[in-house]
Amino acid sequence: MEDKAQIHEAIKVQGELVRKLKSEKANKEQIDEEVAKLLELKAQLGGDDGKHQFVLKTAKGTRDYNPRQMAIREKVFNTIIGCFKRHGAETIDTPVFELKETLTGKYGEDSKLIYDLKDQGGELLSLRYDLTVPFARYLAMNKITNIKRYHIAKVYRRDNPAMTRGRYREFYQCDFDIAGQYDAMIPDAECLKIVHEILSELELGDFCIKVNDRRILDGMFAVCGVPIDKFRTICSTVDKLDKMAWADVKKEMVNEKGLSEEVADQIGEYVSMQGGMDLAERLLQDQKLSQSKQACAGLSDIKLLFSYLQLLQVTDKVVFDLSLARGLDYYTGVIYEAVLTQTGVGLGSTEAQQEAHAEDSVSVGSVAGGGRYDGLVGMFDPKGRKVPCVGVSIGIERIFSIMEQKAEASAEKVRTTEVQVMVVSAQKNLLQERLKLVSDLWNGGVKAEMMYKKNPKLLSQLQHCEEAGIPLVAILGEQELKDGVVKLRVVSTREEFDICRADLLAEIRRRTSEA
Amino acid sequence: MLGLTTRFSFLALCVLQIDEEVAKLLELKAQLGGDDGKHQFVLKTAKGTRDYNPRQMAIREKVFNTIIGCFKRHGAETIDTPVFELKETLTGKYGEDSKLIYDLKDQGGELLSLRYDLTVPFARYLAMNKITNIKRYHIAKVYRRDNPAMTRGRYREFYQCDFDIAGQYDAMIPDAECLKIVHEILSELELGDFCIKVNDRRILDGMFAVCGVPIDKFRTICSTVDKLDKVRLSQQEAHAEDSVSVGSVAGGGRYDGLVGMFDPKGRKVPCVGVSIGIERIFSIMEQKAEASAEKVRTTEVQVMVVSAQKNLLQERLKLVSDLWNGGVKAEMMYKKNPKLLSQLQHCEEAGIPLVAILGEQELKDGVVKLRVVSTREEVNAL
């Protein structure tokens, strides 16, 4: 019984903690966690029939989507998928887990973040970490050399939440890729056109798409005097320029990565440059940079890219930015990242989103990122056959977040159902008539519902309509039934019309199509 | 129906078998000389799982649209839950089948398992959010470590499509709506004639009792009775853990006690629902598509923008951009100077109905040649 006393004490303490957190309006996740602990303690008492001995929680880093969030999510997906389809993309789906060996050796340091499945005597499996490696496997497995595909699905990363607040361990990725050997920069330009269309249509506010090229970066490092073995690590330092000031970035290069100040300063001159086709032309004439064949190739392609972007009418939002670095190893050519330029959109704790193409780190306002990666599929093909790819990953979780906040702030209601008509009874004993009418409406393709009560109160039924945002009510009443009519009420205006039963379906269709 | 299913499973098994043996061959080859060690693995999906190619996705999308359209017509909301739950959430819910649950490796944190169905997560969701009334559908994949030797053709990752009405209501009204929904879905999918069998657990139990079955044998006798229509082939579309007969495409019923198991106070939330046999339906639709002459399009492109001569890339880019800006689904070849024939061939293969042909003369005249692929008619449009 000592144990029980201890538990009681623990419950008291935990209860106080929960109350305190609630009164301080602490963050919901934290409150939920402490409440869960409290429930667990309580469940240990007297243990009834052992039924309630566990905690009502989702796994750490995961969450349910409630109907409201699903409604918002659906709108976002429809816009994005609509854009992909407009560009003629197909879609595929792959399993949530892959053979462990398929994922091994593809993610560098981040491999420790992969979720493994327990060895239960069969194959060793891991949950997919992104959609790019499964894509490369799919291409190699099916010997596909050309495809334009999108893939929207959840991926899994065992991020440490203490390090990176608001990061989910299960989250959506939304990838679009064009695989195949084509003439330079045409598919690359289409990817940027797609990003531009999606971000415009979602109405997230002003945005900017930064563009650079891995060859220009590497060429720049070379001519500035960075030792080859430091390219990658310097690259990831440069990548921090969107979060840190140059002074701090330079400090890291010199103090942590061992570059001389002179070399760092030279890099500094280049990475501060931004522009359009004109900048690419200027740099092709740059004495130092033009010595790098690599950089010249990248610069020529940037020029070509911009000429295509002009024809596609998207240059207004695209900037050639030499500070764009993107952490991923497997990019071989053009790289890009889209950021929202409006600050104060209240991005809050869902800042660190994982929408990057594979494992890039992502800056605060980033909503999309990608680039060309010509070497990846070859890693999967037994003959090493290359399939050049270019693609983009849309930052879906960030976008959900923003849309949810907008919905919160706006007066407009988010409907969670699409019901057009509610069928109600004005008096008792009209269940049969309601069932008949709602059935006719369903058979006629109208979205309708009714209360699961034999004799519901009229007021409750009407209240439900207001809460759910249902625009029309079909009211059955004894007198109306005798007259062969149904009273159709418009919820927003409270107008009512007596409609002949035979004409009801047509009348409802007319009203709902006008809406 | 039985014949088709058998033949399909046989063929599918042949393909699976070939793929498996090819994979083994590649693995053996990869072990030779190992180049740079890059190719030392087998190109396979995990056992019991598969990719969906664009054609299958197109068929799948049509099926989902019909089913979701029906759920929405009945005013259902939808939710989504994580692919894995805390192991303890799933413990003790599936009886003997618990050994089929996929566990995640203990990597130092919480013990996790992949969801086995959508019903237990639903009950957890209701209890967690103290919801007493909801009408919801949930379509998502679930995971079961079935032994393929025992049950040929069974997938380990497969879709479940659940519709449930939770809440205290007047008797049988929501139950009737569930059946109306099954009727609508099966009719709309045009799978052929169907029959919905109905019974009641209380009638079964009552019958066993009056026939003299000892109470402790009710369950086991019940599962024997269940075999009256069964031939053990595939599909796990059943509501929760019911076993399913060959022609079964949907199953469900009332389950009033489940949510109470999750609520700390044991508060009951009566539920009734149905699970649509989505995988079986995909299968049937895929076979129908195979058998039919009609092409399954994997894209929705309406117009292809093509060049009749060289050096018209710029014009193509401009035109395709205008079409996209106007909401038209269009595409073009990623080549500076593609051959007209290749471009037209692509249209025929992909089922694209219209072609916008840019040519030097037409550009001078300020027109675009619009071709209808099926009839080969051409008109000049401004």
Side-chain angles (χ1 to χ4, degrees), chain A residues 454-512:
Chain A
K454 282 182 291 193
N455 298 310
K457 293 197 170 28
L458 181 59
L459 195 60
S460 320
Q461 298 171 88
L462 294 176
Q463 255 169 359
H464 173 76
C465 291
E466 304 238 355
E467 281 159 16
I470 302 170
L472 296 171
V473 200
I475 310 173
L476 292 163
E478 281 161 10
Q479 189 53 51
E480 288 83 357
L481 282 164
K482 289 196 189 112
D483 299 339
V485 300
V486 173
K487 215 186 257 314
L488 193 61
R489 176 191 249 209
V490 178
V491 175
S492 54
T493 63
R494 308 223 167 162
E495 297 171 275
E496 288 183 350
F497 308 92
D498 281 347
I499 314 285
C500 189
R501 178 62 191 260
D503 302 330
L504 186 61
L505 193 57
E507 180 66 22
I508 288 173
R509 284 198 182 127
R510 185 180 68 77
R511 284 176 182 276
T512 50

Side-chain angles (χ1 to χ4, degrees), chain A residues 264-301:
Chain A
D265 283 334
Q266 285 185 57
I267 294 176
E269 269 182 47
Y270 285 115
V271 300
S272 60
M273 295 184 188
Q274 283 185 354
M277 200 189 301
D278 56 311
L279 176 59
E281 272 165 6
R282 228 184 323 133
L283 287 172
L284 275 167
Q285 313 298 326
D286 182 277
Q287 247 190 0
K288 208 161 46 181
L289 200 51
S290 58
Q291 285 170 36
S292 161
K293 275 215 187 98
Q294 233 186 350
C296 288
L299 289 166
S300 304
D301 274 350

Side-chain angles (χ1 to χ4, degrees), chain A residues 142-157:
Chain A
N142 296 282
K143 298 191 173 18
I144 292 168
T145 54
N146 297 73
I147 189 172
K148 182 169 52 186
R149 82 93 184 75
Y150 69 91
H151 187 188
I152 301 177
K154 291 184 192 162
V155 300
Y156 301 85
R157 301 185 184 180

Side-chain angles (χ1 to χ4, degrees), chain B residues 19 51 76 94 202 224 228 248 251 271-272 305 325 328 339 353 357 364 369 371 376:
Chain B
D19 283 348
D51 296 320
Y94 302 106
R202 295 163 291 176
T224 305
L228 272 170
S248 173
C271 295
V272 65
V305 176
N325 293 345
V328 173
K339 294 197 169 29
I357 310 175
K364 288 196 189 115
K369 221 189 256 309
R371 176 191 249 210
R376 308 223 167 163

Side-chain angles (χ1 to χ4, degrees), chain A residues 9 24 389 477:
Chain A
E9 184 56 29
E24 288 171 359
C389 296

